[in-house]
mmCIF file of all heavy atoms in Angstrom:
data_model
loop_
_atom_site.group_PDB
_atom_site.id
_atom_site.type_symbol
_atom_site.label_atom_id
_atom_site.label_comp_id
_atom_site.label_asym_id
_atom_site.label_seq_id
_atom_site.Cartn_x
_atom_site.Cartn_y
_atom_site.Cartn_z
ATOM 1 N N CYS A 139 117.871 130.352 149.147
ATOM 2 C CA CYS A 139 117.378 129.364 150.091
ATOM 3 C C CYS A 139 118.276 128.134 150.133
ATOM 4 O O CYS A 139 117.837 127.050 150.440
ATOM 5 C CB CYS A 139 115.955 128.940 149.710
ATOM 6 S SG CYS A 139 114.764 130.250 149.981
ATOM 7 N N GLN A 143 116.800 122.682 154.533
ATOM 8 C CA GLN A 143 117.067 121.358 155.080
ATOM 9 C C GLN A 143 117.411 120.326 154.009
ATOM 10 O O GLN A 143 118.422 119.664 154.069
ATOM 11 C CB GLN A 143 115.832 120.887 155.872
ATOM 12 C CG GLN A 143 115.482 121.789 157.049
ATOM 13 C CD GLN A 143 116.475 121.687 158.174
ATOM 14 O OE1 GLN A 143 116.962 120.612 158.482
ATOM 15 N NE2 GLN A 143 116.802 122.810 158.786
ATOM 16 N N ASN A 147 120.094 112.438 154.285
ATOM 17 C CA ASN A 147 120.855 111.338 153.703
ATOM 18 C C ASN A 147 120.970 111.570 152.204
ATOM 19 O O ASN A 147 119.965 111.745 151.527
ATOM 20 C CB ASN A 147 120.144 110.012 153.994
ATOM 21 C CG ASN A 147 120.956 108.805 153.543
ATOM 22 O OD1 ASN A 147 121.607 108.836 152.499
ATOM 23 N ND2 ASN A 147 120.910 107.748 154.340
ATOM 24 N N SER A 148 122.205 111.540 151.687
ATOM 25 C CA SER A 148 122.400 111.858 150.273
ATOM 26 C C SER A 148 121.738 110.862 149.335
ATOM 27 O O SER A 148 121.562 111.137 148.165
ATOM 28 C CB SER A 148 123.898 111.933 149.963
ATOM 29 O OG SER A 148 124.518 110.679 150.193
ATOM 30 N N SER A 158 96.398 115.179 146.421
ATOM 31 C CA SER A 158 96.149 114.150 147.425
ATOM 32 C C SER A 158 96.613 112.788 146.902
ATOM 33 O O SER A 158 96.593 112.537 145.693
ATOM 34 C CB SER A 158 94.653 114.104 147.747
ATOM 35 O OG SER A 158 94.323 112.924 148.450
ATOM 36 N N VAL A 171 106.953 106.874 141.732
ATOM 37 C CA VAL A 171 107.999 106.996 142.747
ATOM 38 C C VAL A 171 108.416 105.615 143.257
ATOM 39 O O VAL A 171 109.608 105.330 143.450
ATOM 40 C CB VAL A 171 107.532 107.897 143.911
ATOM 41 C CG1 VAL A 171 108.495 107.798 145.094
ATOM 42 C CG2 VAL A 171 107.433 109.341 143.441
ATOM 43 N N GLY A 181 120.654 103.359 144.309
ATOM 44 C CA GLY A 181 120.155 103.215 145.667
ATOM 45 C C GLY A 181 119.416 104.424 146.192
ATOM 46 O O GLY A 181 119.175 104.555 147.396
ATOM 47 N N ALA A 224 109.258 133.441 139.006
ATOM 48 C CA ALA A 224 109.291 133.920 140.399
ATOM 49 C C ALA A 224 110.172 133.024 141.259
ATOM 50 O O ALA A 224 110.982 133.507 142.055
ATOM 51 C CB ALA A 224 107.881 133.977 140.964
ATOM 52 N N ILE A 230 114.755 129.971 144.663
ATOM 53 C CA ILE A 230 114.063 128.910 145.387
ATOM 54 C C ILE A 230 114.305 127.573 144.688
ATOM 55 O O ILE A 230 114.381 126.525 145.325
ATOM 56 C CB ILE A 230 112.541 129.179 145.454
ATOM 57 C CG1 ILE A 230 112.269 130.568 146.020
ATOM 58 C CG2 ILE A 230 111.837 128.117 146.295
ATOM 59 C CD1 ILE A 230 112.887 130.833 147.360
ATOM 60 N N TYR A 237 119.917 117.357 133.885
ATOM 61 C CA TYR A 237 119.501 116.044 134.368
ATOM 62 C C TYR A 237 118.369 115.423 133.536
ATOM 63 O O TYR A 237 118.005 114.271 133.747
ATOM 64 C CB TYR A 237 119.044 116.146 135.832
ATOM 65 C CG TYR A 237 120.106 116.719 136.739
ATOM 66 C CD1 TYR A 237 120.038 118.047 137.160
ATOM 67 C CD2 TYR A 237 121.184 115.953 137.154
ATOM 68 C CE1 TYR A 237 121.017 118.591 137.988
ATOM 69 C CE2 TYR A 237 122.167 116.491 137.975
ATOM 70 C CZ TYR A 237 122.080 117.802 138.381
ATOM 71 O OH TYR A 237 123.055 118.335 139.193
ATOM 72 N N GLN A 251 107.660 127.129 129.051
ATOM 73 C CA GLN A 251 107.139 127.519 130.358
ATOM 74 C C GLN A 251 108.131 127.234 131.491
ATOM 75 O O GLN A 251 108.079 127.875 132.535
ATOM 76 C CB GLN A 251 105.805 126.832 130.645
ATOM 77 C CG GLN A 251 105.902 125.396 131.110
ATOM 78 C CD GLN A 251 104.614 124.867 131.730
ATOM 79 O OE1 GLN A 251 103.572 125.518 131.734
ATOM 80 N NE2 GLN A 251 104.686 123.650 132.255
ATOM 81 N N TYR A 259 114.533 125.513 134.351
ATOM 82 C CA TYR A 259 114.412 125.414 135.796
ATOM 83 C C TYR A 259 113.350 124.415 136.249
ATOM 84 O O TYR A 259 113.351 123.991 137.405
ATOM 85 C CB TYR A 259 114.071 126.782 136.395
ATOM 86 C CG TYR A 259 115.256 127.670 136.629
ATOM 87 C CD1 TYR A 259 115.752 128.495 135.621
ATOM 88 C CD2 TYR A 259 115.898 127.703 137.866
ATOM 89 C CE1 TYR A 259 116.846 129.331 135.833
ATOM 90 C CE2 TYR A 259 116.986 128.538 138.099
ATOM 91 C CZ TYR A 259 117.456 129.338 137.082
ATOM 92 O OH TYR A 259 118.554 130.161 137.301
ATOM 93 N N SER A 264 102.596 117.221 132.461
ATOM 94 C CA SER A 264 101.343 117.106 131.725
ATOM 95 C C SER A 264 101.078 118.427 131.021
ATOM 96 O O SER A 264 101.613 119.465 131.412
ATOM 97 C CB SER A 264 100.170 116.755 132.647
ATOM 98 O OG SER A 264 99.917 117.811 133.564
ATOM 99 N N TYR A 271 83.763 123.412 122.663
ATOM 100 C CA TYR A 271 82.860 122.264 122.595
ATOM 101 C C TYR A 271 81.545 122.711 121.974
ATOM 102 O O TYR A 271 81.071 123.820 122.239
ATOM 103 C CB TYR A 271 82.609 121.719 123.996
ATOM 104 C CG TYR A 271 83.818 121.096 124.663
ATOM 105 C CD1 TYR A 271 84.842 121.900 125.187
ATOM 106 C CD2 TYR A 271 83.946 119.716 124.784
ATOM 107 C CE1 TYR A 271 85.959 121.334 125.799
ATOM 108 C CE2 TYR A 271 85.048 119.142 125.401
ATOM 109 C CZ TYR A 271 86.050 119.957 125.910
ATOM 110 O OH TYR A 271 87.149 119.389 126.520
ATOM 111 N N MET A 276 72.064 120.781 118.583
ATOM 112 C CA MET A 276 71.682 122.191 118.554
ATOM 113 C C MET A 276 72.224 122.874 117.294
ATOM 114 O O MET A 276 71.549 123.721 116.703
ATOM 115 C CB MET A 276 72.169 122.906 119.813
ATOM 116 C CG MET A 276 71.468 122.459 121.080
ATOM 117 S SD MET A 276 72.052 123.305 122.582
ATOM 118 C CE MET A 276 71.303 124.932 122.374
ATOM 119 N N ASN A 297 85.090 136.954 112.526
ATOM 120 C CA ASN A 297 83.844 137.375 111.891
ATOM 121 C C ASN A 297 82.940 136.184 111.592
ATOM 122 O O ASN A 297 81.723 136.246 111.785
ATOM 123 C CB ASN A 297 84.147 138.148 110.600
ATOM 124 C CG ASN A 297 84.892 139.450 110.870
ATOM 125 O OD1 ASN A 297 84.710 140.068 111.916
ATOM 126 N ND2 ASN A 297 85.738 139.856 109.923
ATOM 127 N N LYS A 305 73.597 133.316 114.525
ATOM 128 C CA LYS A 305 72.624 132.357 114.021
ATOM 129 C C LYS A 305 72.062 131.494 115.151
ATOM 130 O O LYS A 305 70.843 131.266 115.241
ATOM 131 C CB LYS A 305 73.297 131.473 112.964
ATOM 132 C CG LYS A 305 72.346 130.702 112.069
ATOM 133 C CD LYS A 305 73.140 130.061 110.925
ATOM 134 C CE LYS A 305 72.194 129.408 109.922
ATOM 135 N NZ LYS A 305 72.953 128.800 108.790
ATOM 136 N N ASN A 343 106.545 143.236 126.168
ATOM 137 C CA ASN A 343 107.582 143.027 125.165
ATOM 138 C C ASN A 343 108.297 141.702 125.463
ATOM 139 O O ASN A 343 108.129 141.137 126.559
ATOM 140 C CB ASN A 343 108.571 144.202 125.144
ATOM 141 C CG ASN A 343 109.356 144.328 126.443
ATOM 142 O OD1 ASN A 343 108.921 143.880 127.501
ATOM 143 N ND2 ASN A 343 110.508 144.963 126.385
ATOM 144 N N GLY A 346 109.968 141.239 128.784
ATOM 145 C CA GLY A 346 109.144 141.330 129.979
ATOM 146 C C GLY A 346 109.364 142.583 130.783
ATOM 147 O O GLY A 346 109.114 142.620 131.989
ATOM 148 N N VAL A 369 79.815 139.949 124.290
ATOM 149 C CA VAL A 369 78.866 140.216 125.376
ATOM 150 C C VAL A 369 77.804 141.208 124.924
ATOM 151 O O VAL A 369 76.599 141.014 125.134
ATOM 152 C CB VAL A 369 79.605 140.739 126.624
ATOM 153 C CG1 VAL A 369 78.609 141.077 127.737
ATOM 154 C CG2 VAL A 369 80.625 139.719 127.116
ATOM 155 N N GLN A 399 86.442 114.141 129.936
ATOM 156 C CA GLN A 399 86.108 113.082 130.886
ATOM 157 C C GLN A 399 84.735 113.315 131.518
ATOM 158 O O GLN A 399 83.947 112.383 131.705
ATOM 159 C CB GLN A 399 87.182 112.995 131.974
ATOM 160 C CG GLN A 399 87.027 111.786 132.874
ATOM 161 C CD GLN A 399 88.110 111.720 133.921
ATOM 162 O OE1 GLN A 399 88.055 112.415 134.934
ATOM 163 N NE2 GLN A 399 89.109 110.871 133.702
ATOM 164 N N GLY A 429 99.943 124.693 129.271
ATOM 165 C CA GLY A 429 100.562 124.847 130.580
ATOM 166 C C GLY A 429 99.891 124.083 131.695
ATOM 167 O O GLY A 429 98.674 123.910 131.705
ATOM 168 N N SER A 430 100.699 123.619 132.616
ATOM 169 C CA SER A 430 100.199 122.935 133.794
ATOM 170 C C SER A 430 101.313 122.882 134.831
ATOM 171 O O SER A 430 102.272 123.646 134.761
ATOM 172 C CB SER A 430 99.719 121.527 133.423
ATOM 173 O OG SER A 430 98.998 120.953 134.497
ATOM 174 N N TRP A 431 101.220 121.952 135.757
ATOM 175 C CA TRP A 431 102.176 121.862 136.850
ATOM 176 C C TRP A 431 103.461 121.163 136.423
ATOM 177 O O TRP A 431 103.476 120.389 135.463
ATOM 178 C CB TRP A 431 101.531 121.178 138.045
ATOM 179 C CG TRP A 431 100.587 122.099 138.755
ATOM 180 C CD1 TRP A 431 99.393 122.567 138.270
ATOM 181 C CD2 TRP A 431 100.752 122.698 140.028
ATOM 182 N NE1 TRP A 431 98.809 123.414 139.174
ATOM 183 C CE2 TRP A 431 99.629 123.503 140.275
ATOM 184 C CE3 TRP A 431 101.744 122.623 141.001
ATOM 185 C CZ2 TRP A 431 99.465 124.243 141.451
ATOM 186 C CZ3 TRP A 431 101.577 123.346 142.183
ATOM 187 C CH2 TRP A 431 100.454 124.150 142.395
ATOM 188 N N ILE A 449 113.509 113.489 139.117
ATOM 189 C CA ILE A 449 112.732 114.305 138.183
ATOM 190 C C ILE A 449 112.802 113.726 136.775
ATOM 191 O O ILE A 449 111.797 113.619 136.075
ATOM 192 C CB ILE A 449 113.223 115.767 138.194
ATOM 193 C CG1 ILE A 449 112.974 116.402 139.565
ATOM 194 C CG2 ILE A 449 112.525 116.583 137.106
ATOM 195 C CD1 ILE A 449 113.584 117.777 139.728
ATOM 196 N N GLN A 510 100.701 139.060 139.651
ATOM 197 C CA GLN A 510 100.087 140.385 139.559
ATOM 198 C C GLN A 510 99.650 140.696 138.128
ATOM 199 O O GLN A 510 98.618 141.337 137.902
ATOM 200 C CB GLN A 510 101.076 141.449 140.045
ATOM 201 C CG GLN A 510 101.364 141.398 141.536
ATOM 202 C CD GLN A 510 102.529 140.476 141.886
ATOM 203 O OE1 GLN A 510 102.892 139.604 141.103
ATOM 204 N NE2 GLN A 510 103.101 140.657 143.061
#
Side-chain angles (χ1 to χ4, degrees):
C139 290
Q143 299 289 321
N147 186 322
S148 62
S158 165
V171 168
I230 307 305
Y237 303 102
Q251 79 165 6
Y259 276 86
S264 65
Y271 293 75
M276 292 180 74
N297 296 329
K305 197 170 186 179
N343 65 336
V369 177
Q399 189 179 79
S430 191
W431 284 68
I449 295 173
Q510 291 89 340

